[in-house]
Amino acid sequence: MPLFKSSPKSPQELAKGLKEALGVLSSGGAKRAEKAAEEAAKILGQIKVMLYGSGDQEPQPELTAQLAQEFYNHDILLHLINNMAKLDFEAKKDLAQIFNNVLRRQIGTRCPTVEYLCSKFELVLKLIRGYENPEVALNCGMMLRECVRHEPLAKLILENGDFYLFFKFVELSTFDVASDAFAMFRDLLTRHKILCANFLETNYEKVFVDHYQKLLNSENYVTRRQSLKLLGELLLDRHNFTTMSLYINNPDNLKLMMKMLIDPSRNIQFEAFHVFKRTNSLTMRSST
């Protein structure tokens, strides 16, 4: 054993080494890429220790701040997301934890990483598209959920056309990925009440007529049940009263609810009855 432990690398050294490894990983040959992936995984482990601490080593805020600044200056988060599929299982997990730690960082009331991601929104769009790749889908979902906690990022996602990809992702054949995508979809439509209410009201036709109706008519039982349950949650939220009025004033929607009331599945019947009864009572109450 060596008499002295080597001193940990500085944030600048870690960021530089990681950027170089990712550069080789994205453009090098097979042998060089394999070594670069190992080096990137090693550095990600060291960065994770710097951010979270380990054993008797507590994280140091000043080192976290320096590391985050290096990430912003050199677009390292973007390089990491671009090369995530080439990393091994543990490195992907470390990447997601590092991303979320840096994203939660605050300076007073400011969230510098949120500001950075708003200006580099293509990075968030890459996370959304990550659901198309089963190898990284759950890691991308973990990072996206942290993004959606922040209203400015949730707003940008809702206003972007890629939001409508979730109507496809929730029906993916891989159950774990589809479930994760649905949880993300629900978060986007329910977490920030006023933002979501405005979005649903403004985009009523596109959301409910063009897309949501297909989920309610899906051949996949889980998709139909989850979508019906979420529909009830959306329509019965007082913030969404205008959207509820638009929905129940459409005879086609009432016909669909009546059809679901006689569905072979008792769970579908129950959810449909719940929606039908509550929306009907709310409408009668508002008219008196």
Side-chain angles (χ1 to χ4, degrees):
M1 286 182 63
L3 292 175
F4 303 100
K5 289 184 180 179
S6 59
S7 58
K9 291 182 178 179
S10 69
Q12 292 77 14
E13 290 171 326
L14 290 173
K16 183 174 182 292
L18 183 57
K19 186 179 179 182
E20 289 173 354
L22 293 171
V24 174
L25 192 57
S26 63
S27 60
K31 284 189 177 180
R32 290 188 68 213
E34 185 179 346
K35 288 185 178 180
E38 292 174 1
E39 181 64 17
K42 177 183 171 184
I43 296 172
L44 285 170
Q46 293 170 329
I47 290 174
K48 181 181 170 184
V49 169
M50 181 175 285
L51 294 176
Y52 286 93
S54 177
D56 58 352
Q57 181 182 337
E58 291 291 324
Q60 299 179 43
E62 62 274 17
L63 293 181
T64 299
Q66 290 175 34
L67 183 63
Q69 196 58 53
E70 290 296 315
F71 277 15
Y72 308 148
N73 291 345
H74 302 289
D75 290 329
I76 287 176
L77 292 177
L78 183 59
H79 292 303
L80 281 168
I81 301 306
N82 282 338
N83 290 283
M84 180 165 38
K86 299 172 185 175
L87 299 173
D88 64 31
F89 179 78
E90 287 300 324
K92 289 189 186 88
K93 281 174 56 180
D94 287 347
L95 190 167
Q97 290 179 289
I98 289 165
F99 181 96
N100 288 352
N101 182 291
V102 174
L103 185 53
R104 288 191 289 264
R105 178 171 168 262
Q106 283 188 261
I107 302 175
T109 58
R110 285 183 56 229
C111 296
T113 309
V114 174
E115 295 170 5
Y116 170 80
L117 291 177
C118 285
S119 69
K120 300 279 185 178
F121 190 63
E122 69 271 20
L123 196 159
V124 179
L125 296 180
K126 285 179 183 293
L127 292 178
I128 294 174
R129 296 272 179 168
Y131 277 111
E132 296 171 341
N133 182 350
E135 291 185 11
V136 299
L138 298 181
N139 304 102
C140 289
M142 182 178 173
M143 291 182 273
L144 269 176
R145 267 190 293 282
E146 194 65 37
C147 289
V148 172
R149 291 177 184 273
H150 301 275
E151 190 166 344
L153 290 174
K155 184 174 187 292
L156 288 175
I157 294 172
L158 288 172
E159 291 175 348
N160 190 278
D162 276 11
F163 163 75
Y164 295 93
L165 290 173
F166 281 99
F167 288 94
K168 180 182 77 170
F169 295 154
V170 300
E171 294 207 85
L172 289 170
S173 57
T174 306
F175 179 77
D176 287 351
V177 176
S179 298
D180 194 274
F182 197 93
M184 186 70 252
F185 179 62
R186 181 187 174 278
D187 244 15
L188 279 165
L189 292 177
T190 59
R191 178 173 286 276
H192 305 286
K193 298 298 185 183
I194 295 174
L195 170 66
C196 294
N198 290 336
F199 168 76
L200 291 173
E201 183 180 341
T202 304
N203 299 279
Y204 174 82
E205 289 287 329
K206 190 170 184 180
V207 172
F208 289 100
V209 179
D210 296 347
H211 290 87
Y212 211 102
Q213 203 78 343
K214 294 174 185 175
L215 296 184
L216 296 172
N217 286 301
S218 173
E219 294 181 1
N220 185 308
Y221 165 75
V222 175
T223 299
R224 278 195 300 139
R225 185 182 175 189
Q226 286 183 324
S227 302
L228 183 56
K229 188 172 184 178
L230 176 58
L231 177 67
E233 190 177 342
L234 294 173
L235 298 184
L236 302 178
D237 189 314
R238 62 184 181 83
H239 294 91
N240 297 332
F241 185 80
T242 302
T243 295
M244 184 203 72
S245 300
L246 290 169
Y247 191 87
I248 64 176
N249 284 331
N250 185 329
D252 290 337
N253 293 332
L254 291 180
K255 287 177 187 175
L256 180 60
M257 287 302 117
M258 296 297 286
K259 180 182 174 183
M260 288 184 162
L261 285 171
I262 57 171
D263 191 274
S265 165
R266 293 183 67 85
N267 288 322
I268 296 288
Q269 291 177 26
F270 174 79
E271 296 296 348
F273 178 75
H274 184 64
V275 173
F276 188 80
K277 179 182 176 183
R278 291 291 305 277
T279 53
N280 191 47
S281 65
L282 283 172
T283 306
M284 291 177 64
R285 201 181 308 161
S286 67
S287 63
T288 57

